[in-house]
Amino acid sequence: MLISLKSITKKFPHSSGEVIAVDNVSLDVDKGESILLIGPSGSGKTTLLNMIAAIETPTSGQYEFNGNSVPYGNIDAMTRFRRENIGYIFQTFNLIRDLTALENVALVQELSGKVDLDAAKDCLRQVGLDGMENRFPFELSGGQQQRIAIARSMAKNPKVLLADEPTGNLDEKTTHEVFQTLVEMCKKNSITIIVVSHDLSLSKYTSKIIEMRSGKTVDKS
Ligand SMILES: Nc1ncnc2c1ncn2[C@@H]1O[C@H](COP(=O)(O)OP(=O)(O)OP(=O)(O)O)[C@@H](O)[C@H]1O
Ligand SMILES: [Mg+2]
């Protein structure tokens, strides 16, 4: 088992009492699985992804990754854990404006300790951006920018890719193209992916659907 969550709960303090964002969730994810995470706004999807990424610490529960406890509470160890294992595509692309497509991808390699421009170019080629390496984000369409974000998240070859509504701002046709590229790239590179979307029609590309409701998960597959 790659990801094993046991009774994970996340509560946030709030002026009118506390919010239970994730409520006693247990979840096992095998290596190579592709999971579509759906659910209404506010149901806890982003919070769950952030705990899997060790960006946020659960209020209670256990999380094992590849058989090891995730080092919540130790900031340096959590950073190392993320660097070694986790790729994350945020809903807002988070591209650096003053860097070209290639430089945006290479930056992630630099942060994880090893720049390999040929591999970075190959990632861009795999998402269909061959020949656009030297363009800046503002010289590209929304769908193309999102493809850079995908290439960037692949460039360090993570074990898990977490994607939070990576196609949220795209039209229907581009959504399907980008989503399919994303899942296929993961399959080809043996990367496990958990991707959030409101679009149930995307489930044809993934191996499993998990739905969140009021902080709890419902296995739909
Ligand atoms: N930092 C925070 N402080 C307080 N409450 C929070 C915080 N982050 C999330 N919440 C609350 O936790 C609940 C779950 O939020 P979360 O962002 O995980 O939902 P989501 O399913 O990703 O929603 P969306 O589809 O709108 O992105 C919501 O009620 C939200 O208001
Ligand atoms: Mg969210």
Side-chain angles (χ1 to χ4, degrees), residues 106-137:
L107 178 67
V108 171
Q109 297 176 325
E110 196 177 318
L111 294 176
S112 60
K114 184 170 171 284
V115 176
D116 179 343
L117 285 183
D118 285 335
K121 277 184 195 154
D122 189 51
C123 288
L124 285 170
R125 191 185 48 74
Q126 287 193 60
V127 295
L129 289 181
D130 215 6
M132 300 196 189
E133 294 86 354
N134 298 322
R135 296 235 201 141
F136 290 94

Side-chain angles (χ1 to χ4, degrees), residues 39-55:
S41 182
S43 58
K45 304 179 298 295
T46 298
T47 308
L48 185 65
L49 284 196
N50 286 345
M51 290 192 286
I52 294 173
I55 292 171

Side-chain angles (χ1 to χ4, degrees), residues 28-43:
D28 285 330
V29 183
D30 271 328
K31 190 172 185 312
E33 271 194 288
S34 53
I35 293 175
L36 182 69
L37 184 60
I38 59 166
S41 182
S43 58

Side-chain angles (χ1 to χ4, degrees), residues 8-195:
I8 290 276
T9 293
K10 179 70 179 181
K11 298 176 183 173
F12 291 110
H14 190 262
S15 48
S16 58
E18 53 187 16
V19 180
I20 305 178
V22 171
D23 189 2
N24 199 22
V25 164
S26 295
L27 178 68
D28 285 330
V29 183
D30 271 328
K31 190 172 185 312
E33 271 194 288
S34 53
I35 293 175
L36 182 69
L37 184 60
I38 59 166
S41 182
S43 58
K45 304 179 298 295
T46 298
T47 308
L48 185 65
L49 284 196
N50 286 345
M51 290 192 286
I52 294 173
I55 292 171
E56 275 184 285
T57 302
T59 311
S60 61
Q62 283 92 44
Y63 173 19
E64 283 191 359
F65 188 91
N66 236 342
N68 299 311
S69 285
V70 170
Y72 287 128
N74 178 335
I75 289 174
D76 289 343
M78 276 166 79
T79 305
R80 212 171 318 118
F81 168 78
R82 279 196 298 276
R83 197 184 288 154
E84 286 168 6
N85 299 300
I86 308 288
Y88 206 128
I89 303 177
F90 297 91
Q91 184 171 8
T92 49
F93 313 149
N94 280 347
L95 297 177
I96 314 253
R97 283 179 39 205
D98 296 336
L99 297 182
T100 64
L102 184 62
E103 288 164 347
N104 262 286
V105 175
L107 178 67
V108 171
Q109 297 176 325
E110 196 177 318
L111 294 176
S112 60
K114 184 170 171 284
V115 176
D116 179 343
L117 285 183
D118 285 335
K121 277 184 195 154
D122 189 51
C123 288
L124 285 170
R125 191 185 48 74
Q126 287 193 60
V127 295
L129 289 181
D130 215 6
M132 300 196 189
E133 294 86 354
N134 298 322
R135 296 235 201 141
F136 290 94
F138 68 87
E139 297 173 310
L140 295 164
S141 72
Q144 289 166 336
Q145 290 180 42
Q146 192 55 295
R147 285 164 191 272
I148 302 181
I150 293 172
R152 186 177 59 174
S153 67
M154 298 281 171
K156 66 173 194 183
N157 205 15
K159 294 197 178 59
V160 176
L161 184 58
L162 305 170
D164 199 353
E165 297 195 54
T167 53
N169 304 310
L170 306 176
D171 63 56
E172 196 185 332
K173 182 167 169 283
T174 317
T175 290
H176 277 260
E177 284 171 7
V178 169
F179 197 91
Q180 197 172 4
T181 306
L182 177 64
V183 177
E184 274 173 9
M185 273 187 78
C186 285
K187 211 174 273 172
K188 217 167 79 193
N189 296 294
S190 307
I191 297 170
T192 305
I193 178 168
I194 304 177
V195 53

